[in-house]
Amino acid sequence: GGRGMTKLCKGIMFHRGMFQKKKTPFVAIALSGLAAPVVSIVSTYSDMNIGLVFSGFVLVALVVTTYVVFPRQFFRAQFGLMLLCLCRIRMTSGLSYFYTANSQCLPDGPQFSYTFYITLTGIVGSVIHLIAVILYQTFMSSWKYRPALIFSMVLGSLATIVDLIIIMRWNVAIGIPDKVFFLLGSATFENLTNILHAIPMAAIGAKLAPPGMEAAGIAYSTSIGTFCFMVTNLLGSAVLKWSGMKTIGEDCDFDSLPGLVVIFQILVPILGGIAAIMLFIPNVHQTEPLIDWKKERWYEGEKESEYETSIEDEEGSVSEMNEKGLGSEGEKNLV
């Protein structure tokens, strides 16, 4: 019938009934996937301020959509995840320029080559990711969401102190070369804490997925997370620009970088992140469900009864036709 499975192509089936019952959330989820690429295009081909304003409108649209379309428990947890992402305004571009600045730009800087800064640290990061997953599964998987997120948030924010030490050249003052301190500190510690923080956030996103549309639910959380990550990078670039920092050419000026790192990568994430966790993230174990979907009866109830009524009407029509002698011919016409 019209609400059964439809074969779109080889290996791909489309459940028409599920889509008809939950058309609004499916459309919202599909459109959320466009948020990050559209903002990326706008910020790339227009002024940064226009990109920030447009990102703000998209962010508000996502928040309102989540509030209207999904259950309140879903909204609270998803909103908490959004705030956690947005709290950490990233100084990535400023740090990258600092680490790779040449001798004309920054005579006493680390002066890392791109091969070292990108390739080698990427290899180290991949190994650390595996170690982080093992550590989380061994020690933190039995924790409740709140302590797991607070611990990883605080630890990740404090890991930025490694960058601060290199920026202030304190490691050189005590005789530790930049490359050694960076590999053992920033490349290792920050990658470790980033994964420890990402795992419980991903687990919450997966737990929020409604039954029957798990893949779509996870895609929604992932799309919003990707968008928020892009916004934090955009905000970080804007902060660096507004600070007057000079990152290329001769006589570069990185004097404001230490203060920006302390404010936006240590203080704001810790204070804002803890507040978001305590206000919006449920304090339950990671093995427990976040939403009682049977109790919620989300997108059921009235729509379900309408569907049942339509089935009863069809059955009644078929019976009436059979009584009038239309028999199987009437059934064929209905189908």
Side-chain angles (χ1 to χ4, degrees):
R3 291 180 176 264
M5 300 293 289
T6 302
K7 185 176 181 181
L8 298 180
C9 59
K10 186 176 181 180
I12 300 179
M13 303 295 291
F14 176 69
H15 197 300
R16 191 182 302 274
M18 177 67 73
F19 178 76
Q20 290 296 332
K21 286 170 58 182
K22 300 181 179 178
K23 184 186 297 184
T24 301
F26 272 122
V27 171
I29 291 168
L31 292 177
S32 70
L34 298 175
V38 169
V39 168
S40 178
I41 293 172
V42 171
S43 59
T44 301
Y45 293 101
S46 66
D47 183 74
M48 180 181 292
N49 293 328
I50 295 176
L52 286 171
V53 172
F54 185 77
S55 299
F57 281 115
V58 174
L59 183 63
V60 171
L62 287 173
V63 171
V64 173
T65 299
T66 306
Y67 181 83
V68 172
V69 174
F70 294 94
R72 291 297 173 265
Q73 288 177 295
F74 183 103
F75 168 76
R76 287 178 61 84
Q78 189 64 63
F79 186 64
L81 293 179
M82 294 173 70
L83 291 178
L84 279 177
C85 291
L86 294 171
C87 278
R88 196 166 189 176
I89 299 174
R90 300 177 185 275
M91 301 289 110
T92 307
S93 58
L95 290 171
S96 298
Y97 281 120
F98 174 82
Y99 282 126
T100 59
N102 57 30
S103 56
Q104 286 81 18
C105 176
L106 194 64
D108 62 339
Q111 299 173 20
F112 293 159
S113 67
Y114 285 101
T115 301
F116 173 83
Y117 184 67
I118 297 175
T119 307
L120 188 59
T121 55
I123 295 172
V124 172
S126 299
V127 176
I128 295 302
H129 287 180
L130 176 61
I131 296 174
V133 171
I134 296 173
L135 288 175
Y136 188 92
Q137 179 62 34
T138 303
F139 299 106
M140 297 177 63
S141 59
S142 60
W143 295 11
K144 292 184 177 181
Y145 282 115
R146 283 183 184 175
L149 286 170
I150 290 175
F151 174 77
S152 58
M153 169 66 78
V154 173
L155 197 64
S157 299
L158 294 179
T160 312
I161 293 176
V162 175
D163 292 315
L164 187 62
I165 291 173
I166 296 177
I167 295 170
M168 300 300 295
R169 318 306 291 142
W170 293 337
N171 61 298
V172 176
I174 60 176
I176 303 178
D178 289 322
K179 289 186 177 180
V180 174
F181 196 78
F182 179 80
L183 276 179
L184 298 179
S186 182
T188 300
F189 194 42
E190 287 190 29
N191 277 306
L192 178 70
T193 55
N194 285 340
I195 295 299
L196 292 179
H197 187 62
I199 292 176
M201 293 182 68
I204 292 175
K207 288 278 188 178
L208 289 175
M213 49 186 300
E214 287 83 357
I218 294 173
Y220 187 70
S221 296
T222 303
S223 298
I224 292 179
T226 303
F227 168 75
C228 290
F229 179 80
M230 182 175 294
V231 171
T232 58
N233 280 306
L234 187 61
L235 282 170
S237 299
V239 169
L240 292 173
K241 180 181 178 181
W242 297 333
S243 69
M245 188 183 303
K246 186 180 179 182
T247 57
I248 56 176
E250 297 182 359
D251 299 324
C252 296
D253 181 9
F254 290 93
D255 290 344
S256 60
L257 186 58
L260 296 178
V261 168
V262 171
I263 294 172
F264 293 106
Q265 293 203 183
I266 298 178
L267 296 180
V268 172
I270 290 177
L271 298 177
I274 291 177
I277 292 167
M278 297 303 294
L279 290 173
F280 299 105
I281 302 299
N283 191 30
V284 298
H285 286 96
Q286 298 174 51
T287 54
E288 299 178 32
L290 295 178
I291 301 175
D292 186 352
W293 290 103
K294 290 183 178 179
K295 183 179 179 181
E296 286 288 342
R297 292 186 61 82
W298 179 63
Y299 269 82
E300 294 181 5
E302 181 181 344
K303 295 186 179 181
E304 189 69 27
S305 61
E306 289 177 0
Y307 172 50
E308 291 173 355
T309 302
S310 65
I311 293 296
E312 291 174 359
D313 291 342
E314 287 184 11
E315 291 175 351
S317 299
V318 172
S319 300
E320 186 178 348
M321 287 181 177
N322 286 335
E323 291 175 0
K324 293 180 178 180
L326 295 177
S328 58
E329 191 66 32
E331 292 183 19
K332 286 181 183 179
N333 291 335
L334 277 179
V335 175

